[in-house]
Amino acid sequence: MEHFIVSARKYRPQTFKDVVGQQAITNTLVNAIENNHLAQALLFTGPRGVGKTSCARILAKMINSKDSEGDNLDEDFAFNVFELDAASNNSVDDIRNLTDQVRIPPQIGQYKVYIIDEVHMLSQAAFNAFLKTLEEPPKHCIFILATTEKHKIIPTILSRCQIFDFKRITVKDAKNYLKYIAKEQGVIAEDDALHIIAQKADGAMRDALSIFDRVVSFSGKNLTRQAVTENLNVLDYETFFTSTDFILENNIPQLLLQLNNTLSKGFDGQHYIAGLASHFRDLLVCKTPQTVELLEVGEETKQKYLEQANKSPQALLLKGIELANDCDLKYKTSKNQRLLVELCLMQLASITFDGEKKNSKRFIIPPSYFRAKGITPIQINKPTTPNTNNQEVKKEPVKVASQPTPVAKKAVTSQFSDSTIPKIVLSKDNKRTSGLSLKSIRAKKEHEIKQNEVVYDEVNLPTDDFTEEDMQTAWKDFVSVLEAEGKHNLASILSIDTPKLKGKTTMTVVYPNQTNKVEVERSQFHLMSFIRKRLNNFEVSLDIKINEEKEKQYAYTPREKFEKMCEKNPSLELLRKTFDLDV
């Protein structure tokens, strides 16, 4: 069998022109050599597989080369280049041997170059032993340090080096270089297939070449997107395109079946939901022409993103990102992870659903609906009688009685057909068995009766003008009613702040904490009913705000409480002085 050389070694850069994605650094080093401006200690830092060691070797050859472009490196100065692996030579003795070698000048060429790879692995004592040599090296010596973890190097070493930060290889640069490698090897590769490999490499060119070799071994000379996704065990774009289509169609069953199919292939639920969040992000990017360039996909896939982005409302994408990200955060701590993902998918598919919403208020048919249908409103709390005298029927606001009679029900049924009003389905006996007490059932029944006592004719509701003083008087009267009923807690909360009139019909009240707000909201129905009837204006609304600074006004110290009491009764201070009392 013929010896195989992996692409990462076979196509390792031999000149600065071959280095991918580090144009700024390579130009700087070339100019430094041309202008004789090269520092004696260099530090190359950055992620793995981005060209640090390769650039160090190219620089070491170029220093003694006559060709500054690095194209003519035939003359062998290998014995002037010393490469040291700090991971296995990290002791003080190793550094002492290095400093002894540094004193000897080169026999051929001008410089001796020492490349110390993974320099962060040196021990603390080795770093300290290296300090003096690094600060004042011989004029014939240049040190090139390379590391992936700059934060582990002591500051005294960093301050003595010229630092070059290598960046991650972009997906575009990695894909173009892979296209060149595929052409060199006679491999026919789809653009999307190379793009997936470049994304999977996560900015490391060495990883991209390793993945490329692995996929070529799997699929041969024809590299397709399907072969890449199957071999790398990554979710294809089509999975998320299909999921989004199901979400837009509110098709929950198919969405759950697709999740089951994805999990059966060995993919993790968190991987799927995180990918869906990223897909929503990409669709959101495509909504604006200026941000399309942020989408790192092939041209064919980009067109699919643009088409689906046009069908997807922006509000759905924003809410989808929020739900998917929340599911991703809760995944690790969830005891039933599959159920968590399924619940998230059902919520996503329900964002644009136009059916009945949860916690909806009691459905009220507005009078405009009947007028549009040409139907005369009737009063259903008493039987209707035919108008035999051809007299004009007086129209009154239609009210729903708490207990409509059977005759009234019959009248409603005969007056309206199934096609004119929505059907309201009631249980036969309005009874159901539960663990609730009789008191809670009675309270719920009373609440339903009050909910039903609603005037349909919203047009004729009174909207009399009133002043802020009238509103505040009505508020105080309601507090008095609460005091008389023994509801002292709620009455004291309502007395914390005097409501202010905002606009013509909005009452604004400020409370010091959320607890007060919740208590008022629980009794808001009775409060607003009382005030609306008292002011004879049914457009009055309540706006409750929270001001934490206000809470500090009520957090009195014992001294502040005593001073507050003295303002109401000055005799307390005389009492304290007379009997020499402490607060």
Side-chain angles (χ1 to χ4, degrees), residues 264-276:
S264 65
K265 293 179 180 178
F267 292 104
D268 188 25
Q270 187 175 23
H271 187 191
Y272 172 79
I273 206 69
L276 192 59

Side-chain angles (χ1 to χ4, degrees), residues 19 45 60 122 162 199 289 317 457 478 573:
V19 178
T45 178
L122 289 177
Q162 193 174 85
Q199 280 188 320
L317 297 177
D457 195 356
F478 183 74
E573 180 64 22

